Structures are given as structure tokens and as C-alpha cells.
Amino acid sequence: MTVIITSCSKTKRYFVPHNMSIASCKKGSLAEVSNEWVDRLKNYSGETYLASEFYGGRGFVYAKDTAQKLNANLAVVSSGLGIIKGDTKIPPYGCTVVPGSDDSVKPMISDNSFSPQGWMRAMQYASPVSKSLTDIIKGDNGLILVSLSAGYLRMIGQDLATLPTEVKERLRILTRAPLKDIRPDLHRFVMPYDKRLDSPLSSYRGTMSDFASRALQHFASEIMPLEGENKALQTRQINQSLDRLIEKPYKPQEPALLEQSYDDELPLLNGLRDNDHSGPCL
């Protein structure tokens, strides 16, 4: 079975209590803040929700819909929970490594110990709902479609790179991140998606924030049915598909021409003017 790995979303579909926001924790070192946060996750006794139903946002919905179409297992990389299965019940929470958000972790770290990778390792190690990447893909022998932005790829890059060789051969990384922002030992698993996907002729164009999910849609709909699981053939087919979007010059659709041109109508208009006895219009 195919596995799809996507990221969580800032948009949550359910109410998040104040004490389940990282901003309500005491400031301290990464270890201190992560320990308090994990304690809150473990001690939460309210209503929980399926991970696949908790997140909103266009990119997440794209990934979820693709998983349903492929009958694939969905996994979510979450800043506040670690790596979780889509069918795991999770508490409502607010926590992100993205700076500038009200639920951002970084302002809570009072020293220089913060890094997104370090925080994610703490969540994967201690979160009561997190699973290792090995556990996530256990029992599945299909493709592993990693649909993530550069930041999330950095957070789980080590996990991907240390998978067994035979498992890594099933990786397909779908992202807009430049190769310089991705671990070198993962480069050969990156599919050649780029700005061509956003050509005016593309039915998959959209915003940069959901690029990875749109690349996932294209790969699942346009590539997998044609090329199965052969990575070399898939790479070639992606390039051919995207190249076709830029080979044709884009022309805005022009209004349909009238059956009779304006020049053809001039004699008729002149005749009406010559025979007009109605007087001036007031």
C-alpha cells in the first residue's frame, strides 16, 4: 500500500483550549519547554479527534483527498506532536516551529538551544501519539510519497536518510524546495517538480504554500497510472508532462467574433441613419 507523508496545517477545524497552546507554557530551555508540553499532551483528558479530520487548510485537504483516491495510508509531520498516523486520535493543540505565529515555539525558548530539528526530535521521542518513521511505513510495500516543504524536510531528513536501502528506493519526494536545502543523500529521491507546475496552462497551479500537495496530486493522477513504481520512467514522464505546459505559448482567451464584422454592418447603419426621421434623442 502507498504511504503519503504530509505536514500539519496552521488551520485547525476544532477549538483549541488555551492550555493546549504552546504559548501558555513557561519559557525555558528547549528541554524544559518540550518536557512541559509533552506532560500536557499526556495529561489531556478532553475530546480527541482523528488527525485526518483535525487539520484544515487547502494543502492538507489536497493531500488527504489524494490519500483517499489512492487508498493510501496518510501520515502527518506535526510540530506539536511528532509524526502521527492519519487514523490516530489526537488532542486539539496549537504549536508550530514557524516564526511569527501566536503558537510558535521559538519565542518560548529563552536560550540558544532552539532548532526546528531539535524540537522535532523531542516530539518524536516523547510525544504520546508520535510514531517512528519505521513504524509509520511498517507493513506497507508501496511507494512512500513525501509531500513536504523545505522546512519539514529538514525536520525529518535524518529519519528519511537512515531508512533501510530497500525502503529508501520507494521514496518519492515531492517538493518545491531547491536541492541545496535538502540533504545530499536524499537528492536522488526528489522528483523534478518546479515552476512549470504553475504554468497558466496547468490545471494544478496554485500558491507556493500548497505546492508540495499540488505536486502530489499531479504525481498521483498523471504519473502513477502510467509508470507504476519505476523511478527513472516516472522522472522522465514528469519532465515531459511539465514541459508540455510551457512548449505551447499561452494566449488569453479572446472573445468570440461576431458572425458579421463591423465593416459589414456599416452600409446597414448608414441606411438607418439616412432614413431616420425621429428627430434628436433627448
Side-chain angles (χ1 to χ4, degrees), residues 257-268:
L257 294 177
L258 296 173
E259 291 183 3
Q260 189 175 30
S261 72
Y262 178 75
D263 289 339
D264 293 334
E265 292 176 350
L266 279 177
L268 175 61

Side-chain angles (χ1 to χ4, degrees), residues 113 189 205 220 276:
S113 59
F189 307 111
R205 64 184 181 275
D276 184 5

Side-chain angles (χ1 to χ4, degrees), residues 183-210:
R183 291 174 59 115
D185 48 3
L186 294 176
H187 283 185
R188 71 190 193 90
F189 307 111
V190 178
M191 296 290 97
Y193 284 98
D194 52 34
K195 63 182 180 182
R196 293 172 294 175
L197 189 66
D198 287 314
S199 161
L201 292 175
S202 172
S203 59
Y204 297 92
R205 64 184 181 275
T207 63
M208 281 299 296
S209 62
D210 58 32

